[in-house]
Amino acid sequence: MKQHDYPTVVQIESTSMCNGECIMCSHAYRDKNDGKHLGFEKRKLFEEVLPFAETVKIHGLGEPFLNPEIVEWLSFYKRYGVHLSTFTNMTVLDERILEAIGSAFTSLHISCDGCSKPVYEAIRRKLRFDTFIQNVKLLHSCFPDLILHMHTVAMRQNLAELERFADFAAELGFSSVHFSHLSIDPFLNNSSDSLLYSHLAGEKFLLAEKRGKALGVEVTFPRIYEPAQSCSAEGRGLAIDKKISFRTEVLPDEGISASGYHCQGMCDWLTDLAYIDLEGNVSLCCSKYYLTMGNLCRQSFRAIWNNEKYRRLRQLFSEGKVPNVCRGCRTLAEGAMRGVALTDFDNGFLEIQPIGALRKGIVL
């Protein structure tokens, strides 16, 4: 494969720490005391790639606004004239952060999984619904031109509220609501939290979409209603050793083989997107963040971006073959990638693949 130019979208993790323990998130079992912030002294690691970037995303495994140097980071990124984007739970807000958001962002992606206090706090444990509402209202009143996008993980716990999200979003000043599938995690053993009543969920999605059109709120949702599949027997209900919950490893060769599924086009993460974690690891994607392609402390970005593993993955996609490591990707299954689409699909595609020591539950 020929060498590829730099990506136009770079995702740089700001922190792996979070103030919540959401039931569908790895922070429900991670030892948060092992989390870290991206120190401002590491900014030189990104000076090679940032001049070519059009967008910088600052989120990763944690809540980005917990980083005590987040204002300095935002100012640093803006020097490159990039568009800044992030996901936040919007429960961390003070005057300094508020002003920084207003000057750095044109839009903000905010996670919210409940329209009511009981549902919200049952899902987003350790977060407070009242704090969320107060901060969103303050943000909208101070910066009414800031575009707010709500992101909701649709699951069994909020099934009854799905059709209400358009009204809820409109009341708070959001311009859109994006529903996504629950990601099955073998360590959470959470397959029973998925939308098992697919027909009912589909009806509620359509009602929310119709209501959104009446209110001027764009509502999007997965166009497949099949219930999420249980994890494979090899991965279901694993007990994770918290010592390895923040560990990473180089993508093993077993992931770079044809899965038997086919596609047209190239995954965006191999052409336009890059994910960089707190330690300078260039990860495969935001979903497989624990599988790395190289480290910026030891190599240039260009050397990593064009190494053998990247070339082999691009070759598979160019041949219309989905790599084994990409099985289970709901973004691909839902057709949400710009550059690639599946040409064959069944429920087996959504099964989690036990690739890498973390997913196999092996202590490194």
Side-chain angles (χ1 to χ4, degrees), residues 16-30:
S16 57
M17 301 187 74
C18 191
N19 56 333
E21 292 182 0
C22 302
I23 63 172
M24 67 291 194
C25 176
S26 61
H27 276 288
Y29 57 76
R30 287 177 181 271

Side-chain angles (χ1 to χ4, degrees), residues 139-160:
L139 183 66
H140 185 58
S141 65
C142 291
F143 305 104
D145 293 331
L146 182 67
I147 301 171
L148 304 181
H149 302 286
M150 183 178 291
H151 291 260
T152 301
V153 179
M155 63 184 86
R156 173 178 58 83
Q157 286 84 349
N158 59 19
L159 175 63

Side-chain angles (χ1 to χ4, degrees), residues 50-333:
L50 285 176
F52 302 93
E54 297 174 3
T55 297
V56 172
K57 300 180 179 182
I58 67 168
H59 56 274
L61 297 182
E63 166 52 46
F65 295 118
L66 282 176
N67 187 320
E69 297 177 302
I70 192 62
V71 173
E72 288 76 13
W73 276 113
L74 293 177
S75 178
F76 170 71
Y77 295 138
K78 291 300 288 184
R79 293 178 207 164
Y80 290 89
V82 299
H83 170 76
L84 277 171
S85 175
T86 195
F87 278 75
T88 173
N89 60 37
M90 199 36 62
T91 62
V92 180
L93 192 66
D94 57 26
E95 185 175 347
R96 187 165 177 254
I97 293 175
L98 179 65
E99 290 301 320
I101 290 174
S103 61
F105 294 92
T106 58
S107 63
L108 210 60
H109 299 268
I110 300 175
S111 301
C112 175
D113 304 302
C115 299
S116 63
K117 183 179 179 71
V119 173
Y120 178 96
E121 294 186 359
I123 295 173
R124 296 196 157 257
R125 295 183 309 194
K126 295 199 172 181
L127 302 184
R128 294 292 172 261
F129 184 68
D130 294 341
T131 300
F132 171 80
I133 296 294
Q134 176 183 323
N135 287 350
V136 171
K137 287 183 175 180
L138 176 62
L139 183 66
H140 185 58
S141 65
C142 291
F143 305 104
D145 293 331
L146 182 67
I147 301 171
L148 304 181
H149 302 286
M150 183 178 291
H151 291 260
T152 301
V153 179
M155 63 184 86
R156 173 178 58 83
Q157 286 84 349
N158 59 19
L159 175 63
E161 291 192 345
L162 294 182
E163 64 188 272
R164 293 174 49 196
F165 270 90
D167 286 277
F168 180 61
E171 291 170 7
L172 293 178
F174 285 84
S175 64
S176 70
V177 179
H178 175 73
F179 292 106
S180 62
H181 275 298
L182 173 74
S183 294
I184 304 304
D185 189 320
F187 303 119
L188 291 172
N189 194 21
N190 64 344
S191 58
S192 63
D193 289 338
S194 61
L195 290 176
L196 300 177
Y197 306 103
S198 57
H199 180 71
L200 178 59
E203 290 180 348
K204 288 183 175 293
F205 283 142
L206 290 172
L207 288 171
E209 182 184 47
K210 181 179 180 180
R211 183 61 178 158
K213 288 180 179 178
L215 295 169
V217 175
E218 181 184 12
V219 175
T220 60
F221 55 92
R223 296 291 169 171
I224 54 175
Y225 303 131
E226 291 81 8
Q229 300 301 300
S230 299
C231 305
S232 62
E234 186 174 358
R236 187 183 301 129
L238 291 173
I240 186 171
D241 185 333
K242 291 184 178 180
K243 293 179 181 178
I244 69 167
S245 64
F246 283 100
R247 295 288 293 273
T248 59
E249 63 176 302
V250 175
L251 172 64
D253 287 340
E254 65 194 82
I256 314 176
S257 58
S259 66
Y261 291 92
H262 300 86
C263 62
Q264 289 183 336
M266 186 79 65
C267 174
D268 301 357
W269 284 100
L270 301 178
T271 57
D272 299 315
L273 305 174
Y275 182 103
I276 305 172
D277 73 9
L278 301 173
E279 303 301 327
N281 292 306
V282 179
S283 300
L284 177 61
C285 63
C286 65
S287 175
K288 303 295 172 65
Y289 57 85
Y290 51 91
L291 299 176
T292 71
M293 308 297 283
N295 187 281
L296 292 176
C297 297
R298 296 186 288 273
Q299 292 177 284
S300 70
F301 183 89
R302 188 170 185 82
I304 296 170
W305 190 240
N306 290 284
N307 66 21
E308 181 185 359
K309 290 184 183 292
Y310 265 120
R311 293 198 302 270
R312 287 168 60 189
L313 287 170
R314 291 172 184 140
Q315 183 65 43
L316 284 172
F317 274 101
S318 70
E319 295 172 356
K321 301 173 182 177
V322 177
N324 195 38
V325 71
C326 299
R327 279 187 58 185
C329 176
R330 291 190 173 275
T331 305
L332 181 56

